[in-house]
Amino acid sequence: MSVPRLVIAAAASGQGKTTVAVGVMAALTRAGRAVAAAKVGPDYIDPGYHALATGRPGRNLDPWLQGESLVAPLLAHGAVTPTPADLTVIEGVMGLFDGRLGTDGWASTAHVATLTSSPVVVVIDISSASRTVAATVHGLRMFDPNVHVVGVILNKAGSVRHADEVRRSVEQLGVPVLGVLPRDAGVSAPSRHLGLVPAAERPEAAAALDRLAEQTAEYVDLDALVEIASGAPDLDVEPWSPPASSSALLSPAALEGMPARRVAIAGGRAFTFRYAETEEMLRALGCEPVTFDPALDTALPAGTDGLYLGGGFPEVHATALSTNTRLLADVRDAVLSGVPTVAECAGLLYLTEAVDGSPLVGAVPTTAAMNPRLTLRYVTAIAPEDTLLGPAGTRVHGHEFHRTGTTPGQGERAAWLLDGSPEGWSLDPAGTGSPTLHASYLHTHWAGHPGLATRFAEAVHSGETRSRTALPTISPSAGFPDHHDAGHVSDPLEHHGDAETDPGLVDLAVNVRLTTPPTWLAQRLRDRIGDLAAYPDVRNARRALARRHAVGEDMVLPTSGAAEAFVLLARMTQAKRPVVVHPQFTEPEAALRRAGIVPERVELRADKGFVLSPADVPEDADLVIIGNPTNPTGVLHPRAALEQLRQPGRLLVVDEAFMDTVAGESDSLIASYMDGVLVLRSLTKTWGLAGLRAGYVIGAPDVVAGLARHQPHWSVSTLAATVMEATTTPAAQREAEAAVAETELWRAHLLRGLRHLGLAPVDSATSFVLVEVGAGVRETMRERGYALRRGDTFPGLGPTWVRIAVRDPHTIDGMLRELATVATSKERIA
């Protein structure tokens, strides 16, 4: 059969192979071509990006997992399923000739290219070389005569001259250069402990893919790639299809006219790893795969007869998963009652008693935790005795890919012997007489070992059908206390979000973006530990902050967090009519009151979106304090509106603690001329440093000098000063800009979710959202495992309001899942 195809490979890992391959897939798809995608090796993450780029399932080609004879048929299957493709783009793995260690390149990209007679285009990072690139290309061409390198794409060119030099040297070999991408072309996915972050976890992935497609179309000769793919020889194979079962129970005649048995398959952001052929095989065996999301769904699909829990990142989302107690109980009940269950890697973690202290299903008697060492290997596995997936002696090829470990590492009856060592659990929790639970770190490809699918499907068909009546959901009023007591707060002005948190709760009450400082910043702080014997010197910090904001050094005063600045202001001011605009951060008023000054309040109204009208402020107010963007409303007041508050004899104080969460900071009042204006900033929110206290003020020199006279000596520590210097560098500012872009996407996700529940959140410009949810909702959410910041301690708000910190979409989805059961009824919103 004709299968136009090409392989996109690389000289080594980290060359940009995935970025180029996904960019080519996306660009060709947007040009109107039907593109099939495949990945060499067992990788689950890259096929997720392939699927996003092409709109078709991502496939894997792996001689170790599937056997050499199946690689070409599986390639052909992907080329015609669900509809015929115009061409197939195969992304390689690691370097072109890198495969299973000790096997001379078995399962390498070159091995798959040879098995499928596919032409190879090599991606090479040229950022640190020029003519030497040609020598690398020459070596790749000549190393194995069975591998046909037909073109090169140069990545990360530093300049046109640099690219031309490399292009000339490569083309002198007779190898065409099919594209040159500059250093800033394309979009790279963020990484974590097992490689790239899956596409399903990145709400910005689709938008990033559009930009990547545009960049690729601009810099890569797509027509030449299509021509190369079209020149690939025909394949003398039949496309793979799920093999017919030899089991009498699963024969076509036996299945005809019988209702399909439902297999619940874990999906969502925490469970993104599974091969497309798994579901195809289950359908062929009379099963109905139904995906459920362990983070969002509160019950298994009605009528679940079997469970397949594949791979993913439950360790990353363990806290959010653990709050879905209704689903955890339903899964536990299903497993313990004997519903046939296969749990691979992440599925095993989900069934453990806890992961890193977060309680989960508890059906497998072990706990899991992150390890410093990555386990990544191909293994041979043998069933030590009869299990859910096969009789004793069943031999399969699989792979491990995890950075967690369980204690203990296996049960009395192991799931597998991995290269001779027992691992995993084979359990019969319901006492049926044969194992119904198979939990292991091992990943297998069922197309390569169809007996595993058959054995599981037989168990599913042999079991009793669970009721297809969905479990009752919790009513909106369930869980509310009889009396909606907001809880006693001795002084609302002194109450802050950290009082709402608890180690057992998902923290959406505190607005610190990171749980730990970035690695590079933490290292800078560690490097300064040896300097702590000396008294702090903040001159370099002041100089760095002045450069960052293009103001004079005499306009900058480093402080021990923004909170100290409010204390200094209260000590300095002689205001006769001070005004605080509420709702806002309560510390300014609290500091004034501690100094014996009782300010007037201007309370902005919810029905006007908490938007400021300058006329709301008394004309003779000589001290006006306002937040921008405002905590807790999230409202960003236009610079022009705040400028109207400036007038002779008045000091306008603007708390810009969250201005660094706003793209461009165009509404900041920081300028070279700041008479009558004082701006306060904080560095602790963006950089995960609430425990260090680092902030500063910027204003007219005389005002800054007045504050400094009230500041104790050495109030700003050496480490805080180090943060001020480190976070003002261009590299740090670029990282902060990236954080702003991510926050915008996450905030939009939160706002959409709240509106979907029928709520009316305040339009926010920062890293939190204010919303009125109803009396008692905050307390009930606390019972469900989520800490939300109470609103009633902010002047102008009441107990029906909560402030929700912007977090990653998976955490937010878990919160919305619980909020949906308690706050969607209009009658509950006061």
Side-chain angles (χ1 to χ4, degrees), residues 28 33 37 134 157 183 274 293 336 474 531 541 814 818:
L28 289 171
R33 297 186 183 273
R183 278 199 180 101
R274 62 182 180 274
D293 189 337
L336 297 184
I474 296 179
D531 300 330
E818 298 301 323

Side-chain angles (χ1 to χ4, degrees), residues 473-492:
T473 57
I474 296 179
S475 66
S477 61
F480 278 104
D482 292 334
H483 303 286
H484 303 318
D485 180 9
H488 178 67
V489 174
S490 58
D491 185 348

Side-chain angles (χ1 to χ4, degrees), residues 201-226:
E201 293 190 49
R202 299 183 61 212
E204 77 279 17
L209 198 61
D210 288 337
R211 178 169 178 264
L212 178 56
E214 293 172 3
Q215 294 274 9
T216 303
E218 179 180 355
Y219 294 112
V220 176
D221 189 342
L222 298 177
D223 291 337
L225 292 177
V226 172

Side-chain angles (χ1 to χ4, degrees), residues 643-659:
E643 289 282 3
Q644 293 181 50
L645 296 179
R646 297 176 70 170
Q647 63 181 47
R650 171 185 291 173
L651 179 61
L652 172 62
V653 179
V654 184
D655 176 9
E656 293 188 1
F658 292 95
M659 186 61 77

Side-chain angles (χ1 to χ4, degrees), residues 312-447:
F313 288 107
E315 67 272 28
V316 174
H317 306 293
T319 303
L321 292 171
S322 70
T323 62
N324 195 355
T325 54
R326 286 157 292 172
L327 180 64
L328 293 175
D330 197 26
V331 172
R332 185 184 308 114
D333 176 70
V335 174
L336 297 184
S337 65
V339 171
T341 302
V342 173
E344 285 192 354
C345 199
L348 162 64
L349 298 183
Y350 186 59
L351 295 184
T352 63
E353 295 169 352
V355 173
D356 283 333
S358 296
L360 292 173
V361 172
V364 176
T366 189
T367 59
M370 290 291 293
N371 279 340
R373 188 164 174 240
L374 174 67
T375 298
L376 173 59
R377 60 174 183 159
Y378 284 131
V379 292
T380 298
I382 298 174
E385 54 186 281
D386 290 352
T387 73
L388 175 64
L389 291 183
T394 298
R395 184 184 183 90
V396 300
H397 286 168
H399 76 102
E400 287 187 274
F401 186 36
H402 56 93
R403 191 165 275 176
T404 57
T406 58
T407 305
Q410 71 279 330
E412 183 178 338
R413 293 184 174 182
W416 298 109
L417 297 177
L418 300 186
D419 289 342
S421 298
E423 188 273 339
W425 284 261
S426 177
L427 302 174
D428 178 19
T432 64
S434 60
T436 59
L437 171 60
H438 192 278
S440 167
Y441 271 118
L442 186 71
H443 290 290
T444 57
H445 198 298
W446 284 4

